[in-house]
């Protein structure tokens, strides 16, 4: 009986690690060796003997991103591709700048939950639940300076600055490399493009409308 209980406990522990977004570290750190030719899920570790303080350091998050673009926002990401010391630590962060009426368009992070706080200005934020018998539920909130909101892993979410002054937000994500899928870009701007027959059927519009939308991306 004791052996069965131990086996169940070990299986439960293994399952909890398997379900995590990023693997738990098995050593103090595993600084990413971005030049390695070895292909693994993530990055292989640098030899700890050649790791230096700069591997755990990033500078520039105090600088505003350029928001002169179609949506009026800019995301400065600090993930394992920018800060190699994050490898296997299961965390990253972003600075997001929004022009007046700027939008961080509906998107998902397939590998991370995001928690966001407003540093300056205001934001209208929200996320949409996955498909259910009751449809897709929308949760929204107006945030001001100091407010915090969380976006569950994998769910479509957005942030919009409804004001006439700039907004700055900081987000933390539960993955070293959370990934981003911007819905409009992925659906209408994929390469090669998704067939307009498919999209016309999915959105219940004519193919000319789909062709026009695809031309925007």
């Amino acid at each position: 009986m004791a052996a069965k209980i131990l086996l169940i406990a070990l299986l439960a522990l293994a399952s909890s690690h398997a379900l995590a977004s990023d693997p738990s570290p098995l050593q103090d750190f595993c600084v990413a060796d971005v030049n390695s030719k070895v292909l693994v899920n993530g990055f292989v570790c640098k030899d700890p003997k050649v790791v230096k303080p700069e591997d755990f350091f990033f500078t520039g998050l105090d600088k505003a991103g350029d928001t002169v673009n179609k949506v009026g926002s800019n995301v400065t990401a600090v993930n394992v591709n920018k800060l190699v010391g994050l490898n296997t630590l299961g965390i990253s962060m972003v600075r997001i700048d929004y022009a007046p009426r700027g939008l961080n368009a509906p998107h998902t992070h397939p590998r991370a939950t995001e928690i966001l706080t407003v540093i300056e200005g205001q934001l209208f934020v929200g996320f949409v639940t996955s498909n259910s018998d009751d449809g897709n539920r929308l949760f929204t909130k107006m945030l001001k300076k100091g407010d915090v909101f969380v976006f569950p892993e994998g769910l479509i979410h957005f942030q919009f600055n409804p004001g006439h002054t700039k907004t700055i937000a900081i987000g933390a994500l539960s993955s070293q490399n959370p990934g981003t899928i911007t819905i409009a870009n992925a659906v209408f701007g994929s390469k090669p493009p998704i067939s307009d027959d498919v999209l016309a059927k999915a959105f219940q519009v004519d193919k000319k409308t789909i062709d026009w939308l695809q031309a925007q991306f």
Side-chain angles (χ1 to χ4, degrees):
M1 178 61 110
K4 287 183 179 179
I5 293 173
L6 177 60
L7 178 59
I8 292 170
L10 289 172
L11 288 172
L13 182 61
S15 175
S16 68
H17 284 291
L19 292 173
S21 292
D22 287 353
S24 297
L26 300 175
Q27 55 210 36
D28 287 345
F29 52 77
C30 172
V31 172
D33 184 353
V34 295
N35 297 314
S36 173
K37 297 292 191 288
V38 178
L39 298 178
V40 296
N41 183 22
F43 294 97
V44 298
C45 306
K46 271 188 182 180
D47 183 340
K49 294 177 182 177
V50 302
V51 170
K52 51 190 184 298
E54 287 72 21
D55 291 327
F56 303 95
F57 176 77
F58 177 90
T59 187
L61 215 57
D62 59 318
K63 296 178 175 60
D66 183 4
T67 59
V68 181
N69 52 55
K70 289 182 178 181
V71 293
S73 70
N74 188 289
V75 178
T76 303
V78 185
N79 53 39
V80 71
N81 298 302
K82 303 280 187 65
L83 181 56
V84 291
L86 288 173
N87 195 39
T88 76
L89 298 184
I91 193 169
S92 59
M93 67 184 300
V94 292
R95 169 182 170 143
I96 313 174
D97 292 276
Y98 311 81
R101 310 293 291 175
L103 171 70
N104 190 10
H107 62 282
T108 73
H109 300 297
R111 295 180 290 276
T113 292
E114 177 180 3
I115 187 167
L116 178 136
T117 186
V118 176
I119 303 300
E120 179 182 334
Q122 59 183 323
L123 283 176
F124 177 67
V125 303
F127 68 84
V128 181
T129 62
S130 55
N131 297 355
S132 73
D133 292 339
D134 298 320
N136 304 86
R137 188 175 176 190
L138 172 65
F139 291 83
T140 63
K141 191 72 177 176
M142 182 66 72
L143 306 182
K144 60 183 186 301
K145 181 178 179 180
D147 290 343
V148 176
F149 198 81
V150 65
F151 305 103
E153 181 174 341
L155 297 187
I156 295 172
H157 59 282
F158 61 86
Q159 303 108 31
F160 174 66
N161 175 12
H164 300 288
T165 59
K166 69 178 184 180
T167 292
I168 303 169
I170 296 289
L173 300 107
S174 62
S175 172
Q176 67 183 40
N177 186 23
T180 301
I181 303 171
T182 305
I183 307 305
N185 299 54
V187 172
F188 298 110
S190 67
K191 293 180 174 47
I194 299 173
S195 165
D196 55 6
D197 286 312
V198 172
L199 294 179
K201 188 77 169 180
F203 288 93
Q204 296 293 290
V205 296
D206 59 62
K207 289 199 287 186
K208 287 185 179 179
T209 300
I210 296 298
D211 293 341
W212 181 84
L213 286 166
Q214 289 178 320
Q216 309 311 304
F217 297 91

